[in-house]
Amino acid sequence: MLITFEGIDGAGKSTQIKKLAAYLKQEGHEVLTLREPGGTEVAEKIRLILLESRHEISPVGELLLFSASRAELVSEVVRPALAEGRTVILDRFFDSTTAYQGYGRGLDLNMLRTLIAISTGALTPDITFYLDILPEEALIRKFSEKSLPLAFENEELDRMERSGLEFYRNVHQGYLDIIEAEPGRFKSINARHGVQEIHACIVKTLKERLQDRS
Ligand SMILES: Nc1ncnc2c1ncn2[C@@H]1O[C@H](COP(=O)(O)OP(=O)(O)O)[C@@H](O)[C@H]1O
Ligand SMILES: [Mg+2]
């Protein structure tokens, strides 16, 4: 089973993935947790290029780097793990490309669809948890986590985080459109709820989906 988490930076993906992985392991699942971009030696190198804050990268260059990283992750790690019957949890997958490079950077959505199909070999998650939060609030969380003042110019933010509020507003709208187009795959959860409450909702949803399958 492939489970993915989506949402803007600061929504609580990493927090929930950690809890879900622990829960599933305790339930006897073999769990593999991976993040995008990254997850293989080559993909982690691409991650460094993408997030290093002093790099200027064109939108198309950014798209292709994310896609290259994804292609490596899917073919080298995700598909083999799924074939072995493991549960794979991904911190971001191709919906992030639609939201960030499509809605955020303004690249053509049809072109993105083609590239996503190429880089994933059309691999689709069984379920995608979307943690919904307003960009303003999510960024306040991120900044306070790093004990930084609310300023996008800050050197300690990564390249994506420095993209500014307008960018994040477009990304947020992108996610809403993506979910509307494919409601069956997504479970959207209000990320302002407590950590435990969100975790309980995720577990309940997964149990329901697993029951529906058997
Ligand atoms: N439900 C929540 N309510 C309040 N704060 C949260 C919640 N979930 C996560 N956080 C905090 O918000 C920050 C961002 O969470 P994180 O899990 O790193 O988000 P992401 O991985 O989506 O960027 C962290 O400081 C985390 O402790
Ligand atoms: Mg995270």
Side-chain angles (χ1 to χ4, degrees):
M1 181 168 53
L2 176 60
I3 304 167
T4 64
F5 278 76
E6 294 286 348
I8 53 180
D9 308 270
K13 298 180 296 299
S14 301
T15 305
Q16 291 301 329
I17 287 171
K18 226 167 126 186
K19 290 183 79 70
L20 178 63
Y23 168 82
L24 289 173
K25 278 179 192 162
Q26 185 199 313
E27 291 286 296
H29 294 263
E30 278 212 51
V31 183
L32 182 62
T33 304
L34 299 156
R35 67 174 179 187
E36 267 213 359
T40 74
E41 202 180 334
V42 169
E44 287 294 331
K45 283 187 176 160
I46 297 173
R47 179 186 180 89
L48 292 179
I49 298 172
L50 278 165
L51 299 184
E52 166 67 54
S53 68
R54 67 189 164 77
H55 289 158
E56 295 243 357
I57 306 175
S58 68
V60 172
E62 178 181 281
L63 168 69
L64 294 173
L65 284 166
F66 273 113
S67 301
S69 160
R70 181 167 304 136
E72 291 307 300
L73 182 69
V74 168
S75 66
E76 301 304 305
V77 186
V78 177
R79 281 196 188 274
L82 291 173
E84 284 170 11
R86 297 170 83 178
T87 299
V88 179
I89 305 178
L90 287 182
D91 190 335
R92 298 193 177 284
F93 197 33
F94 60 76
D95 297 307
S96 287
T97 280
T98 310
Y100 281 73
Q101 279 70 53
Y103 287 81
R105 305 282 191 226
L107 294 177
D108 180 70
L109 294 176
N110 281 321
M111 185 261 289
L112 291 190
R113 246 173 243 129
T114 307
L115 199 50
I116 285 169
I118 294 169
S119 60
T120 61
L123 179 68
T124 309
D126 295 287
I127 183 163
T128 300
F129 291 103
Y130 171 65
L131 299 176
D132 192 43
I133 192 166
L134 286 174
E136 290 84 346
E137 216 163 325
L139 291 164
I140 287 170
R141 282 188 188 174
K142 269 289 172 213
F143 283 91
S144 70
E145 186 184 46
K146 296 186 181 185
S147 304
L148 295 172
L150 260 170
F152 287 102
E153 301 76 44
N154 203 298
E155 292 282 320
E156 291 188 42
L157 296 174
D158 73 39
R159 202 183 55 82
M160 297 302 292
E161 287 168 345
R162 289 172 69 174
S163 299
L165 192 54
E166 189 58 31
F167 172 80
Y168 276 98
R169 287 205 177 113
N170 291 333
V171 171
H172 181 249
Q173 185 55 50
Y175 273 125
L176 300 184
D177 286 4
I178 294 166
I179 293 166
E180 201 177 274
E182 219 183 322
R185 175 163 63 88
F186 284 91
K187 173 68 183 176
S188 178
I189 300 173
N190 185 344
R192 298 175 71 192
H193 290 154
V195 170
Q196 201 50 45
E197 199 180 331
I198 295 171
H199 174 65
C201 176
I202 289 169
V203 168
K204 180 168 168 276
T205 306
L206 269 182
K207 278 186 181 160
E208 286 165 3
R209 297 275 166 119
L210 286 173
Q211 246 163 23
D212 288 348
R213 287 168 142 214
S214 55

